[in-house]
Amino acid sequence: MRTLDAAELLSLWERGQPRHALDRAALLAAAARPDWPAESIADLPLGAIGASLLRLRAANFGTHMDAHADCRHCGQRLSFALDVAELLAEAPPEEAADTVPETEVAGLHLRAPSLRDLAAVATLDPADAADALLARCTLAGQPALLDEVARAQVDEALEALDPQADLAFSLNCVACGRTDMAQLDTAALLWDEITARVGALLHEVHLLASRYGWGEAQILALPAVRRAQYLALVEAAS
Ligand SMILES: [Zn+2]
């Protein structure tokens, strides 16, 4: 996994800023995996997308990740640390073929959902979205005819089909003492980190341009160590 230099981060941020969250996840996956044909990304299994984002995250920001979630019982904001290497332990290797997994369950032939599927159901309410997603991912069979037991089997089978798609873990709330399941939104976390890094970079450009009159491209092209050294000089002189 390659790291993104300052100019690449800035350009990525600029292109992602006006986009919907799912579209942004596709953009980040394209940056993570330049070997993937751009038009194929929206149709890849979500687990492969998630793993590519975790690898991009590790390469650019390290494997230690500070995250947060709100307790669904009392609303308390809970902070916790995650290890990206641990999250990737079950993921298929980067060079594995990214075929869409399929399975047979309860008389249905199913495939794993993709970003395109999530985007198609994004505006529906949760129950309708789950039905619409299942209908999209059914290659053969009649999902509308399932009884409750069969539907639970189908939901379980879909989860097992692409386990990396849904990274969930349990959290103990320090405020109300209850346990909750939190889902990791890798794309949103990574996006927040890129936004913070870009904010810091633009501030550095501002300081160095004001002091030395250099252009933005010139400043961003400086090796990070040298840029930091000039910034220290500017700060020492102010
Ligand atoms: Zn709580």
mmCIF file of all heavy atoms in Angstrom, residues 4 11 29 51 60 79 99 103 125 136 147 176 179 182-183 198 207 211 217 227 231 233 235:
data_model
loop_
_atom_site.group_PDB
_atom_site.id
_atom_site.type_symbol
_atom_site.label_atom_id
_atom_site.label_comp_id
_atom_site.label_asym_id
_atom_site.label_seq_id
_atom_site.Cartn_x
_atom_site.Cartn_y
_atom_site.Cartn_z
ATOM 1 N N LEU A 4 0.084 8.481 0.453
ATOM 2 C CA LEU A 4 -0.265 9.625 -0.390
ATOM 3 C C LEU A 4 0.582 10.812 0.036
ATOM 4 O O LEU A 4 0.719 11.072 1.231
ATOM 5 C CB LEU A 4 -1.748 9.956 -0.209
ATOM 6 C CG LEU A 4 -2.727 8.821 -0.518
ATOM 7 C CD1 LEU A 4 -4.137 9.202 -0.085
ATOM 8 C CD2 LEU A 4 -2.701 8.489 -2.000
ATOM 9 N N SER A 11 -5.681 16.933 -3.136
ATOM 10 C CA SER A 11 -6.527 16.728 -4.308
ATOM 11 C C SER A 11 -7.654 15.734 -3.983
ATOM 12 O O SER A 11 -8.799 15.909 -4.410
ATOM 13 C CB SER A 11 -5.641 16.264 -5.473
ATOM 14 O OG SER A 11 -6.277 15.284 -6.228
ATOM 15 N N ALA A 29 -11.460 4.343 -1.939
ATOM 16 C CA ALA A 29 -11.045 3.003 -2.385
ATOM 17 C C ALA A 29 -10.230 3.099 -3.671
ATOM 18 O O ALA A 29 -9.263 2.360 -3.858
ATOM 19 C CB ALA A 29 -12.273 2.118 -2.586
ATOM 20 N N ALA A 51 -11.534 -3.272 3.532
ATOM 21 C CA ALA A 51 -10.144 -3.674 3.774
ATOM 22 C C ALA A 51 -9.186 -2.728 3.057
ATOM 23 O O ALA A 51 -8.133 -2.364 3.601
ATOM 24 C CB ALA A 51 -9.929 -5.114 3.314
ATOM 25 N N ASN A 60 -1.044 5.593 5.798
ATOM 26 C CA ASN A 60 -0.928 7.047 5.881
ATOM 27 C C ASN A 60 -0.999 7.610 7.290
ATOM 28 O O ASN A 60 -0.479 8.687 7.551
ATOM 29 C CB ASN A 60 -2.008 7.706 5.025
ATOM 30 C CG ASN A 60 -1.695 7.564 3.548
ATOM 31 O OD1 ASN A 60 -0.914 8.329 3.011
ATOM 32 N ND2 ASN A 60 -2.258 6.554 2.918
ATOM 33 N N SER A 79 -15.258 6.972 23.756
ATOM 34 C CA SER A 79 -14.027 6.954 22.975
ATOM 35 C C SER A 79 -13.349 5.603 23.154
ATOM 36 O O SER A 79 -13.410 5.030 24.239
ATOM 37 C CB SER A 79 -13.077 8.051 23.453
ATOM 38 O OG SER A 79 -13.702 9.292 23.297
ATOM 39 N N THR A 99 -13.521 -11.258 -6.298
ATOM 40 C CA THR A 99 -14.757 -11.755 -6.895
ATOM 41 C C THR A 99 -15.893 -11.540 -5.907
ATOM 42 O O THR A 99 -15.684 -11.533 -4.700
ATOM 43 C CB THR A 99 -14.638 -13.251 -7.220
ATOM 44 O OG1 THR A 99 -14.103 -13.896 -6.068
ATOM 45 C CG2 THR A 99 -13.716 -13.498 -8.397
ATOM 46 N N THR A 103 -23.948 -17.260 -2.466
ATOM 47 C CA THR A 103 -24.341 -18.390 -1.634
ATOM 48 C C THR A 103 -25.787 -18.798 -1.925
ATOM 49 O O THR A 103 -26.547 -18.028 -2.523
ATOM 50 C CB THR A 103 -24.180 -18.045 -0.133
ATOM 51 O OG1 THR A 103 -24.347 -19.229 0.639
ATOM 52 C CG2 THR A 103 -25.205 -17.023 0.338
ATOM 53 N N ASP A 125 -36.459 4.106 4.240
ATOM 54 C CA ASP A 125 -36.354 3.912 5.688
ATOM 55 C C ASP A 125 -35.788 2.510 5.936
ATOM 56 O O ASP A 125 -35.808 1.657 5.050
ATOM 57 C CB ASP A 125 -37.701 4.160 6.388
ATOM 58 C CG ASP A 125 -38.732 3.132 6.027
ATOM 59 O OD1 ASP A 125 -38.497 1.942 6.292
ATOM 60 O OD2 ASP A 125 -39.766 3.520 5.451
ATOM 61 N N ARG A 136 -32.195 -6.698 -4.437
ATOM 62 C CA ARG A 136 -31.109 -6.414 -5.384
ATOM 63 C C ARG A 136 -30.071 -7.520 -5.410
ATOM 64 O O ARG A 136 -29.454 -7.780 -6.439
ATOM 65 C CB ARG A 136 -30.418 -5.094 -5.026
ATOM 66 C CG ARG A 136 -31.230 -3.841 -5.321
ATOM 67 C CD ARG A 136 -30.421 -2.603 -4.942
ATOM 68 N NE ARG A 136 -29.193 -2.490 -5.720
ATOM 69 C CZ ARG A 136 -29.095 -1.840 -6.877
ATOM 70 N NH1 ARG A 136 -30.148 -1.230 -7.369
ATOM 71 N NH2 ARG A 136 -27.940 -1.781 -7.521
ATOM 72 N N ASP A 147 -40.605 -16.626 5.173
ATOM 73 C CA ASP A 147 -41.189 -16.387 6.500
ATOM 74 C C ASP A 147 -40.082 -15.853 7.417
ATOM 75 O O ASP A 147 -38.927 -15.707 7.000
ATOM 76 C CB ASP A 147 -41.842 -17.661 7.050
ATOM 77 C CG ASP A 147 -40.843 -18.790 7.240
ATOM 78 O OD1 ASP A 147 -39.629 -18.507 7.379
ATOM 79 O OD2 ASP A 147 -41.267 -19.958 7.234
ATOM 80 N N CYS A 176 -23.884 4.520 31.567
ATOM 81 C CA CYS A 176 -25.075 3.771 31.987
ATOM 82 C C CYS A 176 -24.760 2.302 32.263
ATOM 83 O O CYS A 176 -25.619 1.558 32.731
ATOM 84 C CB CYS A 176 -26.185 3.892 30.948
ATOM 85 S SG CYS A 176 -25.871 2.992 29.424
ATOM 86 N N THR A 179 -24.135 -2.567 27.644
ATOM 87 C CA THR A 179 -23.267 -2.957 26.535
ATOM 88 C C THR A 179 -24.004 -2.693 25.225
ATOM 89 O O THR A 179 -25.192 -2.939 25.118
ATOM 90 C CB THR A 179 -22.900 -4.446 26.640
ATOM 91 O OG1 THR A 179 -22.292 -4.651 27.912
ATOM 92 C CG2 THR A 179 -21.933 -4.848 25.563
ATOM 93 N N ALA A 182 -21.332 -1.504 18.395
ATOM 94 C CA ALA A 182 -21.023 -0.351 17.544
ATOM 95 C C ALA A 182 -20.484 -0.860 16.213
ATOM 96 O O ALA A 182 -19.811 -1.882 16.164
ATOM 97 C CB ALA A 182 -19.989 0.532 18.219
ATOM 98 N N GLN A 183 -20.832 -0.146 15.149
ATOM 99 C CA GLN A 183 -20.317 -0.502 13.836
ATOM 100 C C GLN A 183 -19.233 0.480 13.448
ATOM 101 O O GLN A 183 -19.352 1.672 13.722
ATOM 102 C CB GLN A 183 -21.427 -0.450 12.800
ATOM 103 C CG GLN A 183 -22.188 -1.758 12.692
ATOM 104 C CD GLN A 183 -23.349 -1.625 11.762
ATOM 105 O OE1 GLN A 183 -23.998 -0.578 11.729
ATOM 106 N NE2 GLN A 183 -23.630 -2.660 11.019
ATOM 107 N N VAL A 198 -5.500 17.749 6.024
ATOM 108 C CA VAL A 198 -5.522 18.791 4.995
ATOM 109 C C VAL A 198 -5.605 20.180 5.644
ATOM 110 O O VAL A 198 -4.932 21.121 5.211
ATOM 111 C CB VAL A 198 -6.698 18.552 4.004
ATOM 112 C CG1 VAL A 198 -7.016 19.803 3.206
ATOM 113 C CG2 VAL A 198 -6.349 17.403 3.068
ATOM 114 N N LEU A 207 1.377 29.716 6.393
ATOM 115 C CA LEU A 207 2.483 30.289 7.164
ATOM 116 C C LEU A 207 3.726 30.486 6.307
ATOM 117 O O LEU A 207 4.358 31.551 6.332
ATOM 118 C CB LEU A 207 2.821 29.383 8.353
ATOM 119 C CG LEU A 207 1.809 29.346 9.501
ATOM 120 C CD1 LEU A 207 2.242 28.346 10.560
ATOM 121 C CD2 LEU A 207 1.644 30.732 10.112
ATOM 122 N N ARG A 211 5.408 33.992 4.857
ATOM 123 C CA ARG A 211 6.749 34.355 5.327
ATOM 124 C C ARG A 211 7.753 34.449 4.191
ATOM 125 O O ARG A 211 8.541 35.381 4.111
ATOM 126 C CB ARG A 211 7.206 33.310 6.359
ATOM 127 C CG ARG A 211 8.568 33.573 6.975
ATOM 128 C CD ARG A 211 8.512 34.808 7.887
ATOM 129 N NE ARG A 211 9.810 35.115 8.460
ATOM 130 C CZ ARG A 211 10.773 35.747 7.813
ATOM 131 N NH1 ARG A 211 10.581 36.127 6.554
ATOM 132 N NH2 ARG A 211 11.928 35.985 8.395
ATOM 133 N N ALA A 217 2.281 24.873 -4.632
ATOM 134 C CA ALA A 217 2.816 23.616 -5.157
ATOM 135 C C ALA A 217 4.242 23.388 -4.636
ATOM 136 O O ALA A 217 4.621 22.260 -4.280
ATOM 137 C CB ALA A 217 2.801 23.648 -6.678
ATOM 138 N N ARG A 227 9.875 20.795 5.534
ATOM 139 C CA ARG A 227 8.765 21.718 5.768
ATOM 140 C C ARG A 227 8.621 22.003 7.268
ATOM 141 O O ARG A 227 8.456 23.140 7.689
ATOM 142 C CB ARG A 227 7.469 21.122 5.212
ATOM 143 C CG ARG A 227 6.399 22.167 4.950
ATOM 144 C CD ARG A 227 5.275 21.632 4.080
ATOM 145 N NE ARG A 227 4.703 20.424 4.628
ATOM 146 C CZ ARG A 227 4.451 19.314 3.936
ATOM 147 N NH1 ARG A 227 4.703 19.266 2.656
ATOM 148 N NH2 ARG A 227 3.940 18.250 4.519
ATOM 149 N N LEU A 231 8.942 25.569 9.280
ATOM 150 C CA LEU A 231 7.855 26.016 10.166
ATOM 151 C C LEU A 231 8.382 26.340 11.556
ATOM 152 O O LEU A 231 7.966 27.318 12.183
ATOM 153 C CB LEU A 231 6.765 24.939 10.252
ATOM 154 C CG LEU A 231 5.868 24.867 9.027
ATOM 155 C CD1 LEU A 231 5.063 23.581 9.038
ATOM 156 C CD2 LEU A 231 4.924 26.072 8.974
ATOM 157 N N LEU A 233 11.346 27.402 12.198
ATOM 158 C CA LEU A 233 12.067 28.680 12.067
ATOM 159 C C LEU A 233 11.097 29.856 12.082
ATOM 160 O O LEU A 233 11.333 30.872 12.744
ATOM 161 C CB LEU A 233 12.893 28.700 10.773
ATOM 162 C CG LEU A 233 14.119 27.800 10.753
ATOM 163 C CD1 LEU A 233 14.712 27.732 9.354
ATOM 164 C CD2 LEU A 233 15.167 28.301 11.750
ATOM 165 N N GLU A 235 8.107 29.924 13.368
ATOM 166 C CA GLU A 235 7.517 30.077 14.704
ATOM 167 C C GLU A 235 8.505 30.689 15.684
ATOM 168 O O GLU A 235 8.140 31.516 16.516
ATOM 169 C CB GLU A 235 6.988 28.720 15.210
ATOM 170 C CG GLU A 235 5.526 28.563 14.859
ATOM 171 C CD GLU A 235 5.032 27.137 14.910
ATOM 172 O OE1 GLU A 235 5.511 26.388 15.787
ATOM 173 O OE2 GLU A 235 4.196 26.786 14.068
#
